[in-house]
């Protein structure tokens, strides 16, 4: 609310937001992982994340409604961020009520994150986690800019289709991990993101956002629970909180590395006079997704061969 220009305040706000999301996500995921057997872990993480899709739908629709009902200026942002802050306070009250009486038993040994990462290295799944960060950057940052620049009428349409499809596929695929294997779900999820980004590169009307949203939502539905379950699953129970934090941290690393690069590609394309400067950016993110798909498929095949030889 207090950011009126590009200054140090916007960086402090962004850091605080990222830390809050990291803490809430990790704590929630670790809690539910510890309640179920290993073979149900991917399923319950998927069900847990489904509630986030409802929030994305409501948030994007509410944001478009606030912008529609208010005039240009800071008032619309005061309402938008003020409402988000009020909801966060309500969330805090609920957490305090739910966790009342819950105690935490600290492990006898608490090694640092880097020694733990070396000892229980999750493998190529960390590259997939970084690719998830690239996809989050595309849909949460640059998609808004593209929709605004092309005059496509807001992001509500995209996130309504995205979250509806993701919620549907998340529920429908709750047992797919046991049927097809988590490795195959990761490959399908990466292909879904890549195809969605390719279709976004050619969106010139609002309804064009529906098909890439459904495809990317399919990828998100399969990818997130599989990545968290496979990555955090290599850590023992007593260190699973740190393991989950590290896996999700690589997602944030993907955001940090991709955001300036993708933004630079957009600016360079605009300087060269391209009619659609966002198109090369979407091509780049899709290409990265396809490369990670190939690397992960190769890595998974090697792991299966080694396991069969043993």
């Amino acid at each position: 609310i207090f950011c009126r220009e590009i200054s140090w305040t916007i960086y402090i706000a962004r850091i605080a937001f990222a830390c809050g999301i990291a803490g809430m996500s990790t704590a929630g995921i670790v809690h539910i992982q510890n309640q179920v057997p290993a073979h149900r872990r991917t399923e319950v993480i998927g069900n847990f994340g489904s509630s986030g899709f409802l929030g994305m739908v409501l948030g994007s629709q509410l944001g478009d409604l606030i912008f529609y009902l208010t005039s240009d200026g800071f008032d619309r942002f005061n309402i938008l961020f003020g409402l988000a802050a009020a909801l966060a306070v309500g969330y805090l009250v609920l957490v305090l009520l739910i966790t009342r009486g819950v105690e935490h038993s600290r492990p006898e040994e608490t090694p640092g994150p880097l020694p733990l990462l070396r000892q229980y290295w999750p493998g190529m799944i960390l590259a997939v986690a970084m690719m998830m960060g690239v996809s989050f950057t595309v849909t949460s940052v640059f998609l808004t800019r593209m929709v605004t620049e092309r005059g496509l009428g807001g992001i509500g349409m995209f996130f309504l289709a995205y979250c509806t499809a993701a919620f549907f596929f998340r529920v429908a695929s709750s047992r797919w991990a046991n049927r097809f294997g988590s490795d195959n779900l990761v490959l399908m999820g990466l292909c879904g993101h890549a195809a969605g980004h390719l279709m976004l590169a050619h969106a010139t009307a609002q309804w064009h956002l529906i098909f890439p949203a459904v495809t990317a939502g399919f990828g998100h539905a399969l990818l997130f629970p599989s990545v968290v379950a496979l990555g955090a699953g290599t850590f023992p129970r007593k260190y699973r909180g740190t393991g989950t934090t590290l896996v999700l941290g690589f997602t944030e690393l993907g955001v940090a590395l991709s955001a300036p690069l993708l933004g630079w590609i957009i600016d360079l394309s605009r300087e060269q006079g391209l009619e659609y400067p966002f198109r090369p950016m979407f091509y780049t993110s899709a290409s990265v997704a396809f490369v990670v798909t190939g690397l992960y498929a190769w890595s998974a095949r090697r792991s299966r061969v080694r396991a069969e030889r043993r």
Side-chain angles (χ1 to χ4, degrees):
I1 291 177
F2 300 103
C3 296
R4 295 293 188 265
E5 58 186 5
I6 300 297
S7 65
W8 62 272
T9 56
I10 200 168
Y11 296 101
I12 296 298
R14 174 61 181 171
I15 291 172
F17 174 78
C19 291
I21 291 293
M24 291 186 294
S25 299
T26 301
I29 292 172
V30 170
H31 174 73
I32 63 169
Q33 283 187 95
N34 291 337
Q35 310 304 313
V36 297
H39 69 279
R40 301 293 298 277
R41 194 176 296 149
T42 302
E43 177 187 347
V44 297
I45 292 174
N47 293 335
F48 171 78
S50 298
S51 60
F53 296 138
L54 302 179
M56 293 172 69
V57 170
L58 295 175
S60 59
Q61 297 297 323
L62 187 59
D64 280 355
L65 179 63
I66 291 173
F67 270 59
Y68 176 76
L69 297 177
T70 57
S71 58
D72 291 337
F74 287 113
D75 287 342
R76 55 172 45 172
F77 294 102
N78 294 337
I79 296 172
L80 181 67
F81 294 125
L83 179 59
L87 291 172
V89 172
Y91 165 84
L92 176 60
V93 173
L94 290 175
V95 170
L96 292 175
L97 293 174
I98 292 170
T99 59
R100 184 173 51 187
V102 176
E103 297 182 357
H104 170 67
S105 298
R106 181 172 180 174
E108 296 180 0
E109 297 181 5
T110 55
L114 292 182
L116 282 178
L117 188 63
R118 287 195 298 267
Q119 183 175 358
Y120 304 106
W121 179 251
M124 191 58 67
I125 198 67
L126 296 180
V128 180
M130 292 179 65
M131 181 59 224
M132 287 174 54
V134 176
S135 296
F136 291 157
T137 301
V138 170
T139 56
S140 64
V141 178
F142 297 113
L143 178 65
T144 304
R145 291 182 59 186
M146 184 203 75
V147 169
T148 301
E149 183 171 304
R150 295 186 182 180
L152 302 185
I155 60 174
M157 174 71 74
F158 176 86
F159 281 104
L160 178 61
Y162 181 96
C163 297
T164 301
F167 186 85
F168 171 79
F169 286 114
R170 178 69 57 81
V171 174
S173 65
S174 60
R175 298 296 180 92
W176 286 8
N178 293 332
R179 184 180 304 174
F180 303 112
S182 295
D183 288 336
N184 289 327
L185 296 189
V186 169
L187 296 176
M188 289 189 287
L190 286 170
C191 291
H193 276 296
H197 294 180
L198 286 177
M199 286 188 282
L200 280 173
H202 299 276
T204 55
Q206 189 178 48
W207 69 270
H208 292 171
L209 301 176
I210 296 176
F211 299 106
V214 171
T215 306
F218 166 80
H220 187 143
L222 300 186
L223 210 54
F224 183 80
S226 301
V227 167
V228 175
L230 289 171
T234 63
F235 295 82
R237 181 187 177 96
K238 61 181 179 179
Y239 298 135
R240 193 160 294 146
T242 303
T244 303
T245 301
L246 290 170
V247 173
L248 296 178
F250 272 83
T251 301
E252 294 297 330
L253 180 61
V255 173
L257 294 177
S258 64
L261 174 62
L262 297 179
W264 174 77
I265 292 173
I266 296 171
D267 293 338
L268 181 63
S269 301
R270 183 175 286 111
E271 291 174 0
Q272 294 179 351
L274 296 182
E275 182 179 2
Y276 297 113
F278 289 88
R279 189 166 289 172
M281 183 272 296
F282 286 120
Y283 287 158
T284 301
S285 61
S287 299
V288 173
F290 281 127
V291 169
V292 173
T293 302
L295 291 175
Y296 187 81
W298 170 77
S299 175
R301 184 178 181 278
R302 284 190 61 190
S303 297
R304 286 195 297 270
V305 170
R306 287 199 299 266
E308 290 171 358
R309 287 176 178 173
R310 286 198 297 269

